[in-house]
Amino acid sequence: MPHIKLRIVIAIALLIGVAGCQAPEIYQNKPLIDRAHGGQATLGSGGYRLPAMPSSQSSPEVMLFLAFSGGGKRSSAFSYGVLRGLRDIPVGPSEKPHRLLDEVDGIGSVSGGSFTAAFYGLHRDRIFTDFERDFLKQDINSYIWGLYLLPWHWTWMFYPRYGTNDAMQKLYDDLMFHGATYADLIKNGPPVIWLGATDISYGRVFTFNQDTFDLICSDLDRLPVARAVAASNGLPILFSPITLENHAKECDGYRPEWVNRLVETDEDAAIRRRLLAQAAEDYLDSSRTRYLHLSDGGIVDNLALRGLINQIIQFDDDPQFQSTQRLELMRRILVISVDGQAAQDTSLAREGIVTGLGQIISAVSGSQIDSYNFETMSVMREIIKQTVGRIKTMRCDIAPVIDGHPCDDVEGYLVHVSLGGIGDEATRKRLQSIPTGLTIADDDVDALVAAGEAQIKASPVLAKIVESLRGLRPLSISSDETTH
């Protein structure tokens, strides 16, 4: 008898849920109809991409990129602390100092790091007053539980094209983004925010910028920022993929020039460029790729460096980018990898059976994703080295001395700051043991923010680079110093 009553209660709850379900508004990415018909000349030149951004107030001598890793709210808080640290580091001549934060040209991010990157991209210095209240100290996990346990949140069960991550998009928009689209990011100008997701059909990085959206003939300007963040943080199993439609056939065979350049390259390091070109070819053929299903960016790029590598490759030999006077003056390229990694957990290796959902989610969201981080950083160092070589060649083709500096005075560095670099063992273990999720205790948030701020301010490599920018002394940095 009790089980009959239970069934009745469940049936009533289901009916209430269904009755309360209105057809949800499901966002569909729009085609570039205005550009594809009679306006193809604007393809590849406008929209949200670094070469098309208006000039920033940053020094022309330095190009600075940040990469915010995955790791749930643990990474969000740590990367936010790094922004606070960069805000407090003065650079430039003593008579006209400005913040190192103002030198940032672009931020690549995946998963938890994308909340911080997108919030800063939209709200800039408001992040220092609003981010903790609007996100870091919000209980997001309770909403996730509600998606699965409360019937009035079961809209995703009755509409095949509306998934759990579409519901999360709405939550993120309500909390942080308030209807903002990429058109709002364009208005803000640099730094460019490169939110990264994983295209699960091909197992590769998908970056939200207009270069990528050109390939699928789609207008990024109208895409809600919250949707890109939801895709970037779409942990498999827990959240459904975010789906985009490929409109490539509506662009009448348009093919970006950068794809042709990548295919035609005959350099020694051509393989990575050709792989990037092949990925572009898959999207340009809409009969091969009708839909793009996007999940957590940390699956293939947990450091957010692979997406950044692709961006550097694309504009590295871009004539539009090379024609800028800034590239002639550029002398320092700096990539700061902000890694909110968890401690390595090998406990599953001692278990005979893995059955719990929590164990599986932990396995695909924690330190196991970090397995290829060392290789990724090695690739990034090589890409920086190649870019430095190209800039040297370009500068020396112009003149032996530019703006008072030898034409070959160009250097590039990868600086890695991480929870693993915290000196105090007790603090390091405590922060690395914080689970990957979207709710953490307020005191943990405060500790992570403080750690990110302290790590960036204590970086000996960064201190030397800042002194170089101030003109106090020349750089003298060994390759061993750049990872700590």
Side-chain angles (χ1 to χ4, degrees), residues 141-332:
N141 281 358
S142 64
Y143 184 86
I144 297 173
W145 280 110
L147 273 179
Y148 289 93
L149 299 179
L150 301 177
W152 49 91
H153 287 319
W154 288 351
T155 306
W156 55 273
M157 293 182 65
F158 304 102
Y159 295 91
R161 290 185 176 273
Y162 185 85
T164 51
N165 217 6
D166 294 285
M168 294 306 294
Q169 171 193 335
K170 184 178 185 305
L171 175 67
Y172 303 149
D173 202 51
D174 291 343
L175 289 177
M176 292 178 283
F177 304 120
H178 313 297
T181 66
Y182 271 80
D184 296 295
L185 286 173
I186 292 173
K187 291 176 185 176
N188 284 347
V192 177
I193 308 300
W194 293 300
L195 303 181
T198 297
D199 183 336
I200 60 175
S201 299
Y202 296 105
R204 66 168 66 116
V205 176
F206 179 94
T207 302
F208 284 85
N209 70 357
Q210 190 56 55
D211 281 319
T212 308
F213 271 58
D214 276 355
L215 299 174
I216 61 172
C217 190
S218 188
D219 186 359
L220 180 62
D221 294 11
R222 290 181 280 179
L223 186 88
V225 174
R227 189 161 185 79
V229 171
S232 183
N233 190 65
L235 181 65
I237 304 174
L238 194 59
F239 300 128
S240 58
I242 290 291
T243 297
L244 301 177
E245 185 174 356
N246 190 352
H247 299 288
K249 62 182 179 181
E250 298 184 45
C251 270
D252 301 327
Y254 168 77
R255 181 183 175 87
E257 183 56 37
W258 63 263
V259 178
N260 295 328
R261 289 196 302 271
L262 292 179
V263 171
E264 294 166 1
T265 185
D266 58 358
E267 301 174 12
D268 293 337
I271 184 168
R272 189 161 295 278
R273 294 171 180 261
R274 289 202 176 99
L275 287 174
L276 184 56
Q278 180 56 55
E281 299 284 3
D282 289 334
Y283 292 147
L284 288 169
D285 184 353
S286 57
S287 64
R288 184 186 314 170
T289 307
R290 293 183 58 193
Y291 298 96
L292 290 72
H293 304 291
L294 308 177
S295 281
D296 196 293
I299 299 172
V300 293
D301 185 27
N302 201 44
L303 285 179
L305 286 176
R306 290 184 180 273
L308 190 53
I309 287 168
N310 290 345
Q311 294 307 305
I312 294 174
I313 288 174
Q314 282 181 230
F315 67 71
D316 194 23
D317 58 353
D318 186 339
Q320 182 182 358
F321 191 67
Q322 288 193 355
S323 66
T324 62
Q325 184 182 17
R326 179 180 180 184
L327 207 59
E328 298 176 12
L329 300 175
M330 191 176 299
R331 299 170 48 239
R332 300 292 179 260

Side-chain angles (χ1 to χ4, degrees), residues 61-62 327-333 388-389 391-393 395-396 399-413 468 473-476:
E61 291 188 322
V62 61
L327 207 59
E328 298 176 12
L329 300 175
M330 191 176 299
R331 299 170 48 239
R332 300 292 179 260
I333 299 173
V388 165
I391 294 176
K392 282 183 180 181
T393 300
R395 282 167 52 91
C396 290
V401 177
I402 297 178
D403 197 32
H405 300 281
C407 63
D408 62 351
D409 179 19
V410 183
E411 300 178 20
Y413 298 95
S468 172
R473 67 182 185 184
L475 275 173
S476 177

Side-chain angles (χ1 to χ4, degrees), residues 367-393:
S367 57
Q368 286 81 356
I369 286 178
D370 297 326
S371 299
Y372 301 102
N373 284 356
F374 179 80
E375 187 268 344
T376 299
M377 286 192 289
S378 297
V379 173
M380 174 55 86
R381 286 193 179 91
E382 184 59 32
I383 292 296
I384 292 173
K385 180 180 177 181
Q386 293 171 15
T387 302
V388 165
R390 287 190 182 89
I391 294 176
K392 282 183 180 181
T393 300

Side-chain angles (χ1 to χ4, degrees), residues 3-4 34 124 130 148 155 193 283 310 315 359 391 421 430 470:
H3 67 280
I4 296 177
D34 54 335
R124 302 303 163 93
D130 298 356
Y148 289 93
T155 306
I193 308 300
Y283 292 147
N310 290 345
F315 67 71
Q359 289 178 299
I391 294 176
R430 175 201 164 192
R470 291 174 182 164

Side-chain angles (χ1 to χ4, degrees), residues 23-193:
E25 182 179 350
I26 303 172
Y27 179 84
Q28 300 291 336
N29 58 300
K30 309 298 190 296
L32 279 168
I33 296 175
D34 54 335
R35 300 182 190 181
H37 296 84
Q40 283 194 0
T42 61
L43 274 164
S45 59
Y48 196 63
R49 58 187 119 219
L50 184 58
M53 289 290 100
S55 299
S56 68
Q57 300 301 312
S58 63
S59 166
E61 291 188 322
V62 61
M63 176 162 280
L64 172 56
F65 298 123
L66 307 178
F68 291 165
S69 79
K73 197 171 281 188
R74 184 185 62 245
S75 180
S76 302
F78 185 65
S79 57
Y80 168 61
V82 166
L83 289 181
R84 284 178 38 155
L86 294 172
R87 175 197 61 183
D88 297 337
I89 298 176
V91 295
S94 57
E95 66 273 11
K96 192 179 179 181
H98 58 284
R99 311 174 305 176
L100 188 55
L101 180 61
D102 298 324
E103 296 287 353
V104 177
D105 294 280
I107 304 175
S109 66
V110 295
S111 198
S114 289
F115 294 105
T116 312
F119 198 99
Y120 179 68
L122 277 172
H123 304 307
R124 302 303 163 93
D125 277 12
R126 274 181 50 198
I127 195 172
F128 302 119
T129 58
D130 298 356
F131 190 50
E132 293 185 35
R133 178 200 66 206
D134 291 352
F135 178 68
L136 288 181
K137 295 184 177 179
Q138 290 279 349
D139 182 5
I140 308 297
N141 281 358
S142 64
Y143 184 86
I144 297 173
W145 280 110
L147 273 179
Y148 289 93
L149 299 179
L150 301 177
W152 49 91
H153 287 319
W154 288 351
T155 306
W156 55 273
M157 293 182 65
F158 304 102
Y159 295 91
R161 290 185 176 273
Y162 185 85
T164 51
N165 217 6
D166 294 285
M168 294 306 294
Q169 171 193 335
K170 184 178 185 305
L171 175 67
Y172 303 149
D173 202 51
D174 291 343
L175 289 177
M176 292 178 283
F177 304 120
H178 313 297
T181 66
Y182 271 80
D184 296 295
L185 286 173
I186 292 173
K187 291 176 185 176
N188 284 347
V192 177
I193 308 300

